[in-house]
Amino acid sequence: MRVRTQLTPRRTAAVFLAVGALVVTAACGTRLPAKDFNLTAQGSNGQNGTGTQNGTGTQNGTGATQNGSGATAGSKGTTGSSTTTGGGVQSAGGLKPGQLFAHACGPASASKNGASDKGVTNNQILIGNVVSETNPFGLDQFSPNKYGLISFVQHCNSVGGINGRLIKLVPCNDGGTSTGNVTCVNQMISQKAFAMVGNNTFTYDGAKESHDAGLLDIGGEPIKGAPYYQYDTKFNIYGDGYPKDNKSPGYKGHYWGTAELGAYLKQAQGISRVGVVYYSQADSQRGFNVLKAGLESVGIKVYGHAVNLVNANYEGAVVAMKDQEKDEAVLDAIDQSGNEQLCQAMNSYNYNAQSGLKAKLSTIAAWSDHVGTDFDPPCRDLVWSNGKSASYSDTSNPMIKTFRDDYAKFGQGKVLAQWAVEGYIAGIWFAQAAHSCGANLTRACVSKWIYAQKSMTADGLMSKDVSFQKKQYSTSKTENDCVEVVKWNQGKRGWDTLADINTKKYCYTTHYYPYALEG
């Protein structure tokens, strides 16, 4: 298990991002009326929007009625405008609907169900989702998780829901602000949401309030890592083994990581020297330190290049990496805009494959179809990314095909991005945990199930080493972890998979290494 750190950046002109910052077989199901299947759209800072949508497709052979559930979040109370008509969901790889998601979704009788916990009735489960859909960095920066989750909810409900209960999803856009996040969390608490699923927020000031209210947070992106590594009600998408005593994050005063990415770069690509570009800003500096510790732990030489936050000298960093250090790969602890400017500087100084560069390894935020339009060649054709989830371009994975089919129907036309896959995974985790509880669905039961799992693969969408099993970290101990590495292919307008989490050869045994908690 690698604990993925994510930066908690600020920006005057441009700062952000994550440091590489993770079913039933019974005979019949129940149905809610269309009005109960809607998403309630939320505006910035928790203000209400009004966009809702309904679909009415039926799927032959199962009797399952499909209702739309994807609303576009309003901005400061503006009306959502996107609508989608539901259609029959077809399973990938020859699987029948009840076989997907480890049988977590499918028709079942609700006759034994009851109102077993907050947000639960005999035929409905209310869940929330908080993303910073409006933020200083663009509409697609944090929102993909939401649309991946919507796609999962639509699919799950179309085949019968979870143990006879359909999922009602209430999203909230926190506007990328502290007060907005607190407002969204309080809204989830007041509406008695059973859990939040697939969150992706710029800041998490409502973390303590959500924990104190017993509100579960499943599959969130740890942009602000500490809450996910401190509170026992929070389960980030990349897993962790911390004690979570609700007092202090991490283990024995540190966060801990494993170096499977470094092992891959060294062993599979022969990379021994890398440059890392970061901002002369505390959070970005911390991100560089994490990368440096992990790469150096497997014997890769790391050179850091700090650039000014407002007027960054990418050209100076490029010259040093190319001519003085002769780095074989460029990594970064900067935002998407900074990545684009860094690529421009690399192009201007001919820092490319011909000069010995093998990769421009960007954070997971760059892992989207935007690379094809936002980056210029030849740097564009050296853009790599990495993570713990299966690439959305790898349709040889039947679950990726299922995800793409669902996203095409229910993703509201949003650009494909890896964070959308992780929102989908968060939905699967929630459904599997909820399904395990049967008729007596409670938060305690869901939490117990998650902590008990030795591997949370989401049917092949997530690395097998991801779990929440408790660990006693030490630099003398090792762990076997898998890594997904992808490279942009402009010809097919997608990503080639260089390392696959589901292939044993890309799983590496490395020592744990410590790094500093957030300041």
Side-chain angles (χ1 to χ4, degrees):
M1 175 215 69
R2 174 177 60 183
V3 179
R4 290 175 61 94
T5 62
Q6 307 278 357
L7 301 183
T8 45
R10 308 175 305 248
R11 194 185 233 223
T12 311
V15 183
F16 174 65
L17 221 108
V19 176
L22 272 189
V23 191
V24 205
T25 54
C28 60
T30 61
R31 294 288 171 270
L32 295 179
K35 67 181 179 62
D36 288 333
F37 204 89
N38 297 339
L39 292 180
T40 304
Q42 297 301 323
S44 172
N45 298 330
Q47 298 177 36
N48 290 329
T50 58
T52 58
Q53 59 191 67
N54 301 307
T56 57
T58 59
Q59 179 174 329
N60 294 332
T62 66
T65 302
Q66 178 173 309
N67 302 302
S69 69
T72 303
S75 174
K76 296 185 181 300
T78 59
T79 301
S81 60
S82 296
T83 58
T84 301
T85 300
V89 173
Q90 301 298 318
S91 302
L95 295 174
K96 296 179 181 179
Q99 294 175 296
L100 286 170
F101 318 130
H103 301 274
C105 298
S109 173
S111 60
K112 296 182 180 179
N113 293 340
S116 48
D117 207 332
K118 291 181 180 178
V120 179
T121 68
N122 71 310
N123 62 2
Q124 178 180 283
I125 311 168
L126 178 66
I127 65 172
N129 170 263
V130 182
V131 298
S132 300
E133 192 147 15
T134 51
N135 59 78
F137 319 110
L139 290 176
D140 292 333
Q141 188 68 79
F142 295 88
S143 62
N145 302 68
K146 168 186 171 181
Y147 295 100
L149 176 62
I150 286 172
S151 299
F152 170 79
V153 168
Q154 287 277 44
H155 187 145
C156 191
N157 282 350
S158 76
V159 297
I162 305 170
N163 292 336
R165 295 181 174 105
L166 296 187
I167 305 167
K168 181 175 181 179
L169 173 61
V170 178
C172 190
N173 169 21
D174 71 4
T177 68
S178 299
T179 56
N181 185 262
V182 171
T183 298
C184 280
V185 166
N186 282 331
Q187 176 190 307
M188 299 302 162
I189 295 170
S190 66
Q191 293 193 11
K192 295 181 171 57
F194 179 82
M196 296 183 291
V197 181
N199 287 357
N200 194 351
T201 62
F202 179 61
T203 185
Y204 201 170
D205 289 72
K208 187 177 186 303
E209 289 176 79
S210 67
H211 167 74
D212 291 347
L215 180 58
L216 300 179
D217 182 333
I218 299 171
E221 299 288 345
I223 304 301
K224 185 73 172 176
Y228 287 100
Y229 307 142
Q230 175 178 350
Y231 295 116
D232 61 4
T233 53
K234 302 188 184 301
F235 306 92
N236 84 88
I237 195 65
Y238 304 117
D240 65 72
Y242 297 134
K244 293 186 180 177
D245 61 3
N246 303 316
K247 298 176 182 178
S248 302
Y251 179 76
K252 292 189 175 180
H254 292 91
Y255 290 140
W256 296 81
T258 51
E260 60 269 29
L261 173 62
Y264 167 79
L265 294 177
K266 184 177 182 180
Q267 297 178 32
Q269 296 294 336
I271 291 173
S272 60
R273 303 165 67 89
V274 306
V276 181
V277 180
Y278 62 96
Y279 292 123
S280 53
Q281 182 256 6
D283 291 324
S284 192
Q285 168 79 55
R286 184 173 60 85
F288 161 67
N289 291 337
V290 175
L291 285 171
K292 186 173 186 288
L295 296 171
E296 288 186 342
S297 73
V298 295
I300 294 177
K301 181 66 176 177
V302 179
Y303 300 91
H305 298 276
V307 297
N308 188 278
L309 181 62
V310 177
N311 187 23
N313 180 18
Y314 295 110
E315 293 80 3
V318 168
V319 169
M321 289 186 290
K322 178 188 175 186
D323 298 333
Q324 299 170 24
E325 301 159 10
K326 302 188 184 306
D327 294 326
E328 300 157 306
V330 174
L331 286 73
D332 67 80
I334 60 178
D335 64 309
Q336 180 77 348
S337 175
N339 262 295
E340 294 169 22
Q341 294 176 64
L342 176 57
C343 246
Q344 291 170 3
M346 292 167 65
N347 287 339
S348 297
Y349 285 84
N350 297 313
Y351 192 22
N352 50 42
Q354 284 66 44
S355 60
L357 186 66
K358 294 183 178 181
K360 165 67 183 78
L361 185 59
S362 298
T363 64
I364 194 171
W367 192 344
S368 78
D369 277 3
H370 281 302
V371 169
T373 55
D374 294 351
F375 288 75
D376 295 323
C379 178
R380 177 200 64 201
D381 302 317
L382 288 175
V383 173
W384 295 13
S385 192
N386 73 284
K388 302 296 288 184
S389 51
S391 171
Y392 70 78
S393 292
D394 185 7
T395 54
S396 67
N397 183 325
M399 285 299 295
I400 287 295
K401 187 177 186 307
T402 299
F403 159 76
R404 290 183 66 114
D405 288 348
D406 289 341
Y407 201 71
K409 292 183 178 78
F410 311 122
Q412 302 181 30
K414 297 296 182 179
V415 170
L416 277 165
Q418 194 62 21
W419 266 346
V421 174
E422 295 185 351
Y424 196 82
I425 291 168
I428 293 173
W429 282 3
F430 170 73
Q432 291 175 337
H435 168 65
S436 75
C437 300
N440 189 32
L441 175 58
T442 65
R443 290 169 170 173
C445 174
V446 165
S447 182
K448 181 179 179 180
W449 183 90
I450 293 175
Y451 278 120
Q453 302 311 298
K454 294 182 179 179
S455 183
M456 298 187 66
T457 67
D459 281 7
L461 289 178
M462 184 61 81
S463 177
K464 64 182 180 181
D465 52 87
V466 172
S467 78
F468 296 90
Q469 297 276 294
K470 302 304 181 189
K471 297 178 175 65
Q472 293 182 329
Y473 296 99
S474 167
T475 55
S476 65
K477 294 182 178 180
T478 62
E479 184 173 296
N480 186 261
D481 299 89
C482 310
V483 64
E484 186 93 0
V485 182
V486 295
K487 178 182 180 181
W488 179 255
N489 183 327
Q490 186 69 9
K492 73 177 187 182
R493 304 286 292 186
W495 298 85
D496 291 329
T497 300
L498 303 180
D500 178 5
I501 53 169
N502 293 305
T503 301
K504 186 177 181 179
K505 67 182 290 187
Y506 300 119
C507 301
Y508 301 90
T509 298
T510 64
H511 283 85
Y512 293 120
Y513 66 88
Y515 58 95
L517 304 177
E518 289 112 319

